[in-house]
Amino acid sequence: MKQIDVQEDFKDLPKVRVFKTDFVRALSNLIHNAIKYSETRSINNDNEIPKILIKYLVENKYMVIKIENWGIGISSHELEKGLIFHFGSRGEYSQKDSKTGTGIGLTDAMEVARNHWGTIEIESHDVTKTSEKHITKAERLHHTIVKFIFKDVN
């Protein structure tokens, strides 16, 4: 069993109306991905537990749920082209890391966000220390931020 440190900040969370089943499915998938792809890859700190941060904020009448993790990440090519949202598409790094999946979750989550007049934005930045140059591109440590952006269905 994988041990993960999940930290959330939902103080004073405003009430919003959503299509509950769809919303829960999409959010669960995004959190599941963060857990699945979180890794401790620091050569200097093998005992560190992978960490996920979940926060919310309100921006211009949109609710934004941010899910951050540190792990295998998503290539800049796939982010720029939007390939990770294509039905059945799986990230190249996830395939090299032997992670199982269908490639449907992000497609579905994006559809749910759009049904709530929103979107999903993803950033993934290589944060591997420069002293760890011998690590391959797919093994490098990435800080990934997924923003699930939506409006109240009211």
Side-chain angles (χ1 to χ4, degrees), residues 54-119:
I54 305 170
K55 305 174 191 174
Y56 87 92
L57 56 132
V58 178
E59 291 180 345
N60 300 322
K61 299 184 181 180
Y62 284 85
M63 171 73 79
V64 179
I65 298 178
K66 286 176 56 174
I67 304 165
E68 298 182 50
N69 75 309
W70 289 261
I72 64 173
I74 303 166
S75 76
S76 58
H77 168 75
E78 291 170 309
L79 289 173
E80 290 165 9
K81 301 275 187 193
L83 299 176
I84 56 171
F85 296 111
H86 291 187
F87 186 84
S89 177
R90 297 198 56 239
E92 67 178 270
Y93 297 165
S94 67
Q95 293 175 41
K96 292 177 182 176
D97 208 26
S98 302
K99 302 288 186 195
T100 60
T102 61
I104 297 172
L106 284 176
T107 305
D108 181 58
M110 179 62 90
E111 183 69 22
V112 170
R114 288 179 177 154
N115 288 340
H116 288 82
W117 302 276
T119 191

Short mmCIF file of all heavy atoms in Angstrom, two decimals, residues 54-119:
data_model
loop_
_atom_site.label_atom_id
_atom_site.label_comp_id
_atom_site.label_asym_id
_atom_site.label_seq_id
_atom_site.Cartn_x
_atom_site.Cartn_y
_atom_site.Cartn_z
N ILE A 54 -4.34 19.95 -1.72
CA ILE A 54 -5.63 20.26 -2.35
C ILE A 54 -6.13 21.56 -1.72
O ILE A 54 -6.27 21.65 -0.51
CB ILE A 54 -6.65 19.12 -2.12
CG1 ILE A 54 -6.08 17.79 -2.60
CG2 ILE A 54 -7.96 19.45 -2.85
CD1 ILE A 54 -6.92 16.59 -2.21
N LYS A 55 -6.38 22.55 -2.57
CA LYS A 55 -6.83 23.86 -2.10
C LYS A 55 -7.96 24.34 -2.99
O LYS A 55 -8.14 23.83 -4.09
CB LYS A 55 -5.70 24.90 -2.22
CG LYS A 55 -4.42 24.55 -1.54
CD LYS A 55 -3.37 25.60 -1.86
CE LYS A 55 -2.01 25.15 -1.42
NZ LYS A 55 -0.96 26.06 -1.83
N TYR A 56 -8.67 25.33 -2.53
CA TYR A 56 -9.67 25.96 -3.39
C TYR A 56 -9.50 27.47 -3.31
O TYR A 56 -8.93 28.01 -2.37
CB TYR A 56 -11.10 25.56 -2.97
CG TYR A 56 -11.65 26.46 -1.90
CD1 TYR A 56 -12.40 27.57 -2.24
CD2 TYR A 56 -11.38 26.23 -0.56
CE1 TYR A 56 -12.87 28.44 -1.27
CE2 TYR A 56 -11.84 27.08 0.41
CZ TYR A 56 -12.60 28.18 0.06
OH TYR A 56 -13.05 29.04 1.01
N LEU A 57 -9.97 28.13 -4.33
CA LEU A 57 -10.04 29.58 -4.32
C LEU A 57 -11.16 29.99 -5.27
O LEU A 57 -11.63 29.19 -6.08
CB LEU A 57 -8.71 30.23 -4.71
CG LEU A 57 -8.11 29.83 -6.04
CD1 LEU A 57 -7.68 31.07 -6.79
CD2 LEU A 57 -6.89 28.96 -5.77
N VAL A 58 -11.61 31.22 -5.14
CA VAL A 58 -12.64 31.75 -6.02
C VAL A 58 -11.99 32.85 -6.84
O VAL A 58 -11.39 33.76 -6.28
CB VAL A 58 -13.86 32.28 -5.22
CG1 VAL A 58 -14.89 32.88 -6.16
CG2 VAL A 58 -14.47 31.17 -4.38
N GLU A 59 -12.10 32.73 -8.17
CA GLU A 59 -11.53 33.73 -9.08
C GLU A 59 -12.59 34.13 -10.10
O GLU A 59 -13.06 33.28 -10.85
CB GLU A 59 -10.32 33.15 -9.84
CG GLU A 59 -9.11 32.87 -9.02
CD GLU A 59 -7.96 32.29 -9.85
OE1 GLU A 59 -8.20 31.84 -11.00
OE2 GLU A 59 -6.84 32.27 -9.34
N ASN A 60 -12.95 35.39 -10.12
CA ASN A 60 -13.90 35.91 -11.13
C ASN A 60 -15.15 35.04 -11.25
O ASN A 60 -15.53 34.64 -12.35
CB ASN A 60 -13.21 36.02 -12.49
CG ASN A 60 -12.03 36.95 -12.46
OD1 ASN A 60 -12.05 37.98 -11.80
ND2 ASN A 60 -10.97 36.58 -13.15
N LYS A 61 -15.78 34.76 -10.15
CA LYS A 61 -17.03 33.98 -10.08
C LYS A 61 -16.85 32.51 -10.44
O LYS A 61 -17.83 31.80 -10.65
CB LYS A 61 -18.12 34.61 -10.92
CG LYS A 61 -18.48 36.02 -10.47
CD LYS A 61 -19.63 36.57 -11.27
CE LYS A 61 -19.94 37.99 -10.81
NZ LYS A 61 -21.03 38.59 -11.54
N TYR A 62 -15.62 32.05 -10.55
CA TYR A 62 -15.35 30.64 -10.80
C TYR A 62 -14.72 30.03 -9.55
O TYR A 62 -13.89 30.65 -8.90
CB TYR A 62 -14.37 30.44 -11.96
CG TYR A 62 -15.00 30.65 -13.31
CD1 TYR A 62 -15.12 31.92 -13.86
CD2 TYR A 62 -15.49 29.58 -14.03
CE1 TYR A 62 -15.70 32.13 -15.09
CE2 TYR A 62 -16.08 29.76 -15.28
CZ TYR A 62 -16.18 31.03 -15.80
OH TYR A 62 -16.75 31.22 -17.02
N MET A 63 -15.11 28.81 -9.24
CA MET A 63 -14.47 28.05 -8.17
C MET A 63 -13.29 27.33 -8.81
O MET A 63 -13.42 26.76 -9.89
CB MET A 63 -15.45 27.03 -7.58
CG MET A 63 -14.82 26.06 -6.62
SD MET A 63 -14.42 26.81 -5.04
CE MET A 63 -16.02 26.81 -4.29
N VAL A 64 -12.15 27.37 -8.15
CA VAL A 64 -10.95 26.69 -8.64
C VAL A 64 -10.49 25.73 -7.55
O VAL A 64 -10.23 26.16 -6.42
CB VAL A 64 -9.82 27.68 -8.97
CG1 VAL A 64 -8.58 26.94 -9.46
CG2 VAL A 64 -10.28 28.71 -9.99
N ILE A 65 -10.43 24.46 -7.87
CA ILE A 65 -9.86 23.47 -6.96
C ILE A 65 -8.50 23.10 -7.52
O ILE A 65 -8.39 22.62 -8.66
CB ILE A 65 -10.76 22.23 -6.80
CG1 ILE A 65 -12.10 22.65 -6.20
CG2 ILE A 65 -10.07 21.18 -5.93
CD1 ILE A 65 -13.10 21.52 -6.05
N LYS A 66 -7.45 23.38 -6.74
CA LYS A 66 -6.08 23.09 -7.16
C LYS A 66 -5.61 21.81 -6.49
O LYS A 66 -5.71 21.67 -5.28
CB LYS A 66 -5.14 24.23 -6.77
CG LYS A 66 -5.28 25.46 -7.60
CD LYS A 66 -4.41 26.61 -7.11
CE LYS A 66 -2.96 26.26 -7.01
NZ LYS A 66 -2.10 27.41 -6.67
N ILE A 67 -5.08 20.92 -7.28
CA ILE A 67 -4.51 19.67 -6.78
C ILE A 67 -3.05 19.65 -7.21
O ILE A 67 -2.76 19.66 -8.41
CB ILE A 67 -5.26 18.45 -7.34
CG1 ILE A 67 -6.75 18.56 -7.00
CG2 ILE A 67 -4.66 17.16 -6.80
CD1 ILE A 67 -7.63 17.62 -7.78
N GLU A 68 -2.15 19.65 -6.23
CA GLU A 68 -0.72 19.68 -6.53
C GLU A 68 -0.07 18.38 -6.07
O GLU A 68 -0.39 17.85 -5.02
CB GLU A 68 -0.02 20.82 -5.80
CG GLU A 68 -0.51 22.19 -6.18
CD GLU A 68 0.25 23.28 -5.46
OE1 GLU A 68 1.49 23.27 -5.47
OE2 GLU A 68 -0.43 24.14 -4.86
N ASN A 69 0.85 17.88 -6.90
CA ASN A 69 1.64 16.73 -6.48
C ASN A 69 3.04 16.82 -7.07
O ASN A 69 3.30 17.64 -7.95
CB ASN A 69 0.96 15.41 -6.87
CG ASN A 69 1.06 15.09 -8.34
OD1 ASN A 69 0.75 15.91 -9.18
ND2 ASN A 69 1.49 13.89 -8.64
N TRP A 70 3.92 15.99 -6.58
CA TRP A 70 5.28 15.91 -7.07
C TRP A 70 5.48 14.46 -7.50
O TRP A 70 5.30 13.54 -6.71
CB TRP A 70 6.27 16.29 -5.96
CG TRP A 70 6.22 17.75 -5.67
CD1 TRP A 70 7.09 18.70 -6.15
CD2 TRP A 70 5.26 18.46 -4.88
NE1 TRP A 70 6.71 19.95 -5.70
CE2 TRP A 70 5.60 19.83 -4.93
CE3 TRP A 70 4.14 18.08 -4.17
CZ2 TRP A 70 4.87 20.80 -4.26
CZ3 TRP A 70 3.40 19.05 -3.51
CH2 TRP A 70 3.78 20.39 -3.56
N GLY A 71 5.82 14.26 -8.76
CA GLY A 71 5.94 12.90 -9.28
C GLY A 71 6.43 12.88 -10.70
O GLY A 71 7.24 13.71 -11.10
N ILE A 72 5.87 11.95 -11.50
CA ILE A 72 6.40 11.75 -12.85
C ILE A 72 6.04 12.86 -13.82
O ILE A 72 6.71 13.07 -14.79
CB ILE A 72 5.99 10.38 -13.43
CG1 ILE A 72 4.49 10.27 -13.60
CG2 ILE A 72 6.55 9.26 -12.59
CD1 ILE A 72 4.07 9.01 -14.32
N GLY A 73 4.95 13.57 -13.58
CA GLY A 73 4.61 14.73 -14.38
C GLY A 73 4.08 14.41 -15.76
O GLY A 73 3.83 13.25 -16.12
N ILE A 74 3.92 15.45 -16.55
CA ILE A 74 3.38 15.37 -17.90
C ILE A 74 4.31 16.17 -18.80
O ILE A 74 4.71 17.29 -18.45
CB ILE A 74 1.95 15.96 -17.95
CG1 ILE A 74 1.04 15.23 -16.96
CG2 ILE A 74 1.38 15.88 -19.37
CD1 ILE A 74 -0.27 15.93 -16.69
N SER A 75 4.63 15.64 -19.96
CA SER A 75 5.57 16.32 -20.85
C SER A 75 4.98 17.63 -21.36
O SER A 75 3.77 17.75 -21.54
CB SER A 75 5.96 15.41 -22.02
OG SER A 75 4.92 15.35 -22.97
N SER A 76 5.85 18.59 -21.62
CA SER A 76 5.40 19.89 -22.11
C SER A 76 4.73 19.74 -23.48
O SER A 76 3.76 20.44 -23.78
CB SER A 76 6.57 20.87 -22.18
OG SER A 76 7.59 20.37 -23.01
N HIS A 77 5.20 18.82 -24.29
CA HIS A 77 4.60 18.57 -25.61
C HIS A 77 3.14 18.15 -25.46
O HIS A 77 2.27 18.65 -26.18
CB HIS A 77 5.40 17.48 -26.35
CG HIS A 77 4.72 16.96 -27.56
ND1 HIS A 77 4.64 17.66 -28.74
CD2 HIS A 77 4.06 15.79 -27.79
CE1 HIS A 77 3.98 16.97 -29.63
NE2 HIS A 77 3.62 15.82 -29.09
N GLU A 78 2.86 17.24 -24.53
CA GLU A 78 1.49 16.77 -24.33
C GLU A 78 0.60 17.87 -23.77
O GLU A 78 -0.59 17.94 -24.11
CB GLU A 78 1.48 15.57 -23.38
CG GLU A 78 2.11 14.34 -24.01
CD GLU A 78 2.33 13.24 -23.02
OE1 GLU A 78 2.92 13.49 -21.95
OE2 GLU A 78 1.90 12.12 -23.31
N LEU A 79 1.14 18.73 -22.93
CA LEU A 79 0.36 19.84 -22.38
C LEU A 79 0.06 20.87 -23.46
O LEU A 79 -1.09 21.31 -23.59
CB LEU A 79 1.12 20.50 -21.23
CG LEU A 79 1.20 19.69 -19.94
CD1 LEU A 79 2.13 20.38 -18.94
CD2 LEU A 79 -0.17 19.47 -19.34
N GLU A 80 1.07 21.25 -24.24
CA GLU A 80 0.89 22.27 -25.27
C GLU A 80 -0.13 21.84 -26.32
O GLU A 80 -0.92 22.65 -26.80
CB GLU A 80 2.23 22.57 -25.94
CG GLU A 80 3.19 23.32 -25.04
CD GLU A 80 4.62 23.31 -25.57
OE1 GLU A 80 4.85 22.86 -26.72
OE2 GLU A 80 5.51 23.74 -24.82
N LYS A 81 -0.12 20.58 -26.69
CA LYS A 81 -1.02 20.06 -27.74
C LYS A 81 -2.36 19.60 -27.18
O LYS A 81 -3.25 19.24 -27.94
CB LYS A 81 -0.36 18.88 -28.46
CG LYS A 81 0.95 19.21 -29.12
CD LYS A 81 0.72 19.78 -30.49
CE LYS A 81 2.06 19.95 -31.18
NZ LYS A 81 1.98 20.75 -32.35
N GLY A 82 -2.50 19.55 -25.84
CA GLY A 82 -3.75 19.08 -25.23
C GLY A 82 -3.97 17.59 -25.39
O GLY A 82 -5.09 17.09 -25.26
N LEU A 83 -2.90 16.84 -25.68
CA LEU A 83 -3.03 15.41 -25.94
C LEU A 83 -3.56 14.62 -24.76
O LEU A 83 -4.24 13.61 -24.95
CB LEU A 83 -1.66 14.84 -26.36
CG LEU A 83 -1.05 15.43 -27.63
CD1 LEU A 83 0.35 14.86 -27.87
CD2 LEU A 83 -1.95 15.19 -28.83
N ILE A 84 -3.29 15.08 -23.56
CA ILE A 84 -3.72 14.32 -22.38
C ILE A 84 -5.22 14.31 -22.19
O ILE A 84 -5.75 13.51 -21.43
CB ILE A 84 -3.03 14.83 -21.09
CG1 ILE A 84 -3.28 16.32 -20.91
CG2 ILE A 84 -1.55 14.52 -21.12
CD1 ILE A 84 -2.83 16.85 -19.60
N PHE A 85 -5.92 15.20 -22.92
CA PHE A 85 -7.38 15.23 -22.82
C PHE A 85 -8.06 14.42 -23.93
O PHE A 85 -9.27 14.33 -23.96
CB PHE A 85 -7.89 16.67 -22.84
CG PHE A 85 -7.43 17.48 -21.66
CD1 PHE A 85 -6.53 18.51 -21.82
CD2 PHE A 85 -7.90 17.18 -20.39
CE1 PHE A 85 -6.10 19.25 -20.72
CE2 PHE A 85 -7.48 17.92 -19.29
CZ PHE A 85 -6.57 18.94 -19.45
N HIS A 86 -7.28 13.84 -24.83
CA HIS A 86 -7.85 13.01 -25.90
C HIS A 86 -8.28 11.67 -25.33
O HIS A 86 -7.54 11.04 -24.55
CB HIS A 86 -6.84 12.78 -27.01
CG HIS A 86 -6.52 14.01 -27.79
ND1 HIS A 86 -5.75 13.99 -28.92
CD2 HIS A 86 -6.87 15.32 -27.62
CE1 HIS A 86 -5.63 15.21 -29.41
NE2 HIS A 86 -6.29 16.04 -28.62
N PHE A 87 -9.45 11.21 -25.73
CA PHE A 87 -10.00 9.95 -25.23
C PHE A 87 -9.01 8.80 -25.49
O PHE A 87 -8.54 8.61 -26.61
CB PHE A 87 -11.33 9.65 -25.93
CG PHE A 87 -12.03 8.45 -25.37
CD1 PHE A 87 -12.83 8.56 -24.25
CD2 PHE A 87 -11.89 7.22 -25.98
CE1 PHE A 87 -13.48 7.46 -23.73
CE2 PHE A 87 -12.53 6.11 -25.47
CZ PHE A 87 -13.33 6.22 -24.35
N GLY A 88 -8.69 8.06 -24.44
CA GLY A 88 -7.79 6.91 -24.55
C GLY A 88 -6.31 7.25 -24.52
O GLY A 88 -5.47 6.36 -24.54
N SER A 89 -5.98 8.53 -24.44
CA SER A 89 -4.58 8.94 -24.44
C SER A 89 -4.00 8.85 -23.03
O SER A 89 -4.63 9.25 -22.06
CB SER A 89 -4.47 10.38 -24.95
OG SER A 89 -3.14 10.83 -24.90
N ARG A 90 -2.80 8.30 -22.95
CA ARG A 90 -2.09 8.24 -21.67
C ARG A 90 -0.76 8.93 -21.84
O ARG A 90 -0.12 8.83 -22.88
CB ARG A 90 -1.88 6.79 -21.25
CG ARG A 90 -3.23 6.10 -21.03
CD ARG A 90 -3.15 4.84 -20.22
NE ARG A 90 -2.52 5.08 -18.93
CZ ARG A 90 -1.42 4.44 -18.54
NH1 ARG A 90 -0.84 3.56 -19.29
NH2 ARG A 90 -0.91 4.71 -17.35
N GLY A 91 -0.32 9.62 -20.81
CA GLY A 91 0.93 10.36 -20.89
C GLY A 91 2.12 9.45 -21.13
O GLY A 91 2.18 8.33 -20.64
N GLU A 92 3.08 9.95 -21.90
CA GLU A 92 4.25 9.14 -22.22
C GLU A 92 5.04 8.75 -20.96
O GLU A 92 5.55 7.65 -20.88
CB GLU A 92 5.15 9.83 -23.24
CG GLU A 92 5.82 11.09 -22.73
CD GLU A 92 6.74 11.73 -23.75
OE1 GLU A 92 7.93 11.38 -23.79
OE2 GLU A 92 6.25 12.59 -24.50
N TYR A 93 5.13 9.65 -19.98
CA TYR A 93 5.87 9.33 -18.77
C TYR A 93 5.16 8.25 -17.97
O TYR A 93 5.80 7.39 -17.36
CB TYR A 93 6.06 10.56 -17.89
CG TYR A 93 6.89 11.67 -18.50
CD1 TYR A 93 6.88 12.93 -17.95
CD2 TYR A 93 7.69 11.46 -19.62
CE1 TYR A 93 7.63 13.96 -18.47
CE2 TYR A 93 8.44 12.49 -20.16
CZ TYR A 93 8.40 13.73 -19.59
OH TYR A 93 9.15 14.75 -20.12
N SER A 94 3.83 8.28 -17.95
CA SER A 94 3.08 7.27 -17.18
C SER A 94 3.25 5.89 -17.80
O SER A 94 3.32 4.89 -17.09
CB SER A 94 1.60 7.63 -17.09
OG SER A 94 0.98 7.56 -18.35
N GLN A 95 3.35 5.83 -19.10
CA GLN A 95 3.53 4.54 -19.76
C GLN A 95 4.92 3.98 -19.50
O GLN A 95 5.08 2.78 -19.31
CB GLN A 95 3.29 4.68 -21.26
CG GLN A 95 1.85 5.01 -21.58
CD GLN A 95 1.62 5.27 -23.04
OE1 GLN A 95 2.17 4.58 -23.88
NE2 GLN A 95 0.80 6.26 -23.34
N LYS A 96 5.93 4.84 -19.46
CA LYS A 96 7.29 4.40 -19.19
C LYS A 96 7.45 3.96 -17.74
O LYS A 96 8.34 3.20 -17.41
CB LYS A 96 8.29 5.51 -19.51
CG LYS A 96 8.39 5.80 -20.98
CD LYS A 96 9.34 6.95 -21.24
CE LYS A 96 9.39 7.25 -22.72
NZ LYS A 96 10.21 8.41 -23.04
N ASP A 97 6.58 4.45 -16.87
CA ASP A 97 6.68 4.15 -15.44
C ASP A 97 5.77 2.98 -15.05
O ASP A 97 5.55 2.75 -13.87
CB ASP A 97 6.31 5.41 -14.64
CG ASP A 97 6.99 5.44 -13.28
OD1 ASP A 97 8.06 4.83 -13.14
OD2 ASP A 97 6.44 6.08 -12.38
N SER A 98 5.25 2.26 -16.01
CA SER A 98 4.41 1.06 -15.79
C SER A 98 3.16 1.34 -14.95
O SER A 98 2.71 0.47 -14.22
CB SER A 98 5.23 -0.05 -15.14
OG SER A 98 6.33 -0.37 -15.95
N LYS A 99 2.61 2.52 -15.05
CA LYS A 99 1.36 2.83 -14.36
C LYS A 99 0.20 2.36 -15.24
O LYS A 99 0.21 2.59 -16.44
CB LYS A 99 1.22 4.33 -14.09
CG LYS A 99 2.33 4.92 -13.26
CD LYS A 99 2.27 4.50 -11.83
CE LYS A 99 3.32 5.24 -11.02
NZ LYS A 99 3.54 4.66 -9.73
N THR A 100 -0.78 1.72 -14.65
CA THR A 100 -1.93 1.26 -15.42
C THR A 100 -2.97 2.37 -15.50
O THR A 100 -3.01 3.26 -14.66
CB THR A 100 -2.56 0.01 -14.78
OG1 THR A 100 -2.98 0.34 -13.45
CG2 THR A 100 -1.58 -1.14 -14.74
N GLY A 101 -3.80 2.30 -16.52
CA GLY A 101 -4.86 3.28 -16.69
C GLY A 101 -5.50 3.12 -18.05
O GLY A 101 -4.98 2.40 -18.91
N THR A 102 -6.61 3.80 -18.24
CA THR A 102 -7.36 3.69 -19.49
C THR A 102 -7.20 4.89 -20.40
O THR A 102 -7.52 4.82 -21.58
CB THR A 102 -8.86 3.51 -19.20
OG1 THR A 102 -9.32 4.67 -18.49
CG2 THR A 102 -9.12 2.25 -18.39
N GLY A 103 -6.77 6.03 -19.85
CA GLY A 103 -6.70 7.25 -20.65
C GLY A 103 -8.05 7.92 -20.82
O GLY A 103 -8.24 8.73 -21.73
N ILE A 104 -9.00 7.58 -19.96
CA ILE A 104 -10.34 8.15 -20.05
C ILE A 104 -10.59 9.21 -18.99
O ILE A 104 -11.37 10.13 -19.19
CB ILE A 104 -11.40 7.02 -19.95
CG1 ILE A 104 -11.24 6.05 -21.12
CG2 ILE A 104 -12.81 7.58 -19.90
CD1 ILE A 104 -12.09 4.81 -21.01
N GLY A 105 -9.92 9.13 -17.86
CA GLY A 105 -10.22 9.99 -16.72
C GLY A 105 -10.12 11.47 -16.97
O GLY A 105 -11.02 12.24 -16.61
N LEU A 106 -9.04 11.94 -17.59
CA LEU A 106 -8.90 13.38 -17.84
C LEU A 106 -9.89 13.86 -18.90
O LEU A 106 -10.38 14.99 -18.83
CB LEU A 106 -7.47 13.74 -18.25
CG LEU A 106 -6.44 13.75 -17.13
CD1 LEU A 106 -5.05 14.01 -17.68
CD2 LEU A 106 -6.80 14.77 -16.07
N THR A 107 -10.18 12.99 -19.87
CA THR A 107 -11.19 13.34 -20.87
C THR A 107 -12.54 13.56 -20.20
O THR A 107 -13.23 14.54 -20.45
CB THR A 107 -11.32 12.21 -21.93
OG1 THR A 107 -10.04 11.96 -22.48
CG2 THR A 107 -12.30 12.59 -23.02
N ASP A 108 -12.90 12.64 -19.32
CA ASP A 108 -14.17 12.73 -18.61
C ASP A 108 -14.19 13.95 -17.68
O ASP A 108 -15.18 14.68 -17.63
CB ASP A 108 -14.42 11.45 -17.81
CG ASP A 108 -15.74 11.48 -17.07
OD1 ASP A 108 -16.79 11.64 -17.73
OD2 ASP A 108 -15.72 11.35 -15.83
N ALA A 109 -13.11 14.17 -16.95
CA ALA A 109 -13.05 15.31 -16.03
C ALA A 109 -13.18 16.64 -16.79
O ALA A 109 -13.85 17.56 -16.33
CB ALA A 109 -11.74 15.28 -15.23
N MET A 110 -12.57 16.73 -17.96
CA MET A 110 -12.69 17.94 -18.77
C MET A 110 -14.13 18.13 -19.22
O MET A 110 -14.66 19.25 -19.20
CB MET A 110 -11.76 17.88 -19.98
CG MET A 110 -11.88 19.11 -20.88
SD MET A 110 -11.44 20.67 -20.08
CE MET A 110 -9.69 20.72 -20.47
N GLU A 111 -14.80 17.06 -19.60
CA GLU A 111 -16.20 17.14 -20.01
C GLU A 111 -17.07 17.65 -18.86
O GLU A 111 -17.94 18.50 -19.05
CB GLU A 111 -16.69 15.78 -20.50
CG GLU A 111 -18.10 15.79 -21.01
CD GLU A 111 -18.28 16.55 -22.32
OE1 GLU A 111 -17.29 16.74 -23.06
OE2 GLU A 111 -19.41 16.98 -22.59
N VAL A 112 -16.82 17.14 -17.66
CA VAL A 112 -17.57 17.59 -16.48
C VAL A 112 -17.31 19.08 -16.24
O VAL A 112 -18.24 19.85 -15.98
CB VAL A 112 -17.21 16.75 -15.24
CG1 VAL A 112 -17.81 17.36 -13.97
CG2 VAL A 112 -17.69 15.31 -15.42
N ALA A 113 -16.04 19.49 -16.31
CA ALA A 113 -15.72 20.92 -16.12
C ALA A 113 -16.45 21.77 -17.15
O ALA A 113 -17.03 22.81 -16.80
CB ALA A 113 -14.21 21.13 -16.22
N ARG A 114 -16.47 21.35 -18.39
CA ARG A 114 -17.16 22.11 -19.44
C ARG A 114 -18.66 22.16 -19.19
O ARG A 114 -19.30 23.17 -19.49
CB ARG A 114 -16.84 21.52 -20.81
CG ARG A 114 -15.42 21.82 -21.24
CD ARG A 114 -15.09 21.23 -22.58
NE ARG A 114 -13.74 21.61 -22.97
CZ ARG A 114 -12.99 20.90 -23.80
NH1 ARG A 114 -13.46 19.77 -24.34
NH2 ARG A 114 -11.78 21.30 -24.11
N ASN A 115 -19.22 21.08 -18.66
CA ASN A 115 -20.65 21.07 -18.32
C ASN A 115 -20.97 22.00 -17.16
O ASN A 115 -22.14 22.28 -16.90
CB ASN A 115 -21.13 19.66 -18.01
CG ASN A 115 -21.22 18.79 -19.24
OD1 ASN A 115 -21.29 19.29 -20.37
ND2 ASN A 115 -21.20 17.48 -19.05
N HIS A 116 -19.94 22.44 -16.46
CA HIS A 116 -20.08 23.41 -15.37
C HIS A 116 -19.47 24.75 -15.80
O HIS A 116 -19.00 25.51 -14.98
CB HIS A 116 -19.41 22.89 -14.10
CG HIS A 116 -20.14 21.77 -13.44
ND1 HIS A 116 -20.02 20.47 -13.86
CD2 HIS A 116 -21.02 21.76 -12.41
CE1 HIS A 116 -20.79 19.70 -13.11
NE2 HIS A 116 -21.40 20.46 -12.22
N TRP A 117 -19.48 25.03 -17.10
CA TRP A 117 -18.97 26.28 -17.67
C TRP A 117 -17.53 26.56 -17.26
O TRP A 117 -17.13 27.68 -16.99
CB TRP A 117 -19.88 27.45 -17.30
CG TRP A 117 -21.27 27.22 -17.78
CD1 TRP A 117 -21.75 27.46 -19.02
CD2 TRP A 117 -22.34 26.64 -17.03
NE1 TRP A 117 -23.07 27.07 -19.09
CE2 TRP A 117 -23.46 26.56 -17.89
CE3 TRP A 117 -22.48 26.17 -15.73
CZ2 TRP A 117 -24.67 26.06 -17.49
CZ3 TRP A 117 -23.68 25.66 -15.33
CH2 TRP A 117 -24.77 25.60 -16.20
N GLY A 118 -16.71 25.50 -17.23
CA GLY A 118 -15.33 25.65 -16.79
C GLY A 118 -14.36 24.90 -17.67
O GLY A 118 -14.63 24.62 -18.84
N THR A 119 -13.23 24.58 -17.09
CA THR A 119 -12.16 23.89 -17.81
C THR A 119 -11.22 23.24 -16.82
O THR A 119 -11.40 23.36 -15.60
CB THR A 119 -11.40 24.88 -18.72
OG1 THR A 119 -10.54 24.15 -19.59
CG2 THR A 119 -10.59 25.89 -17.92
#
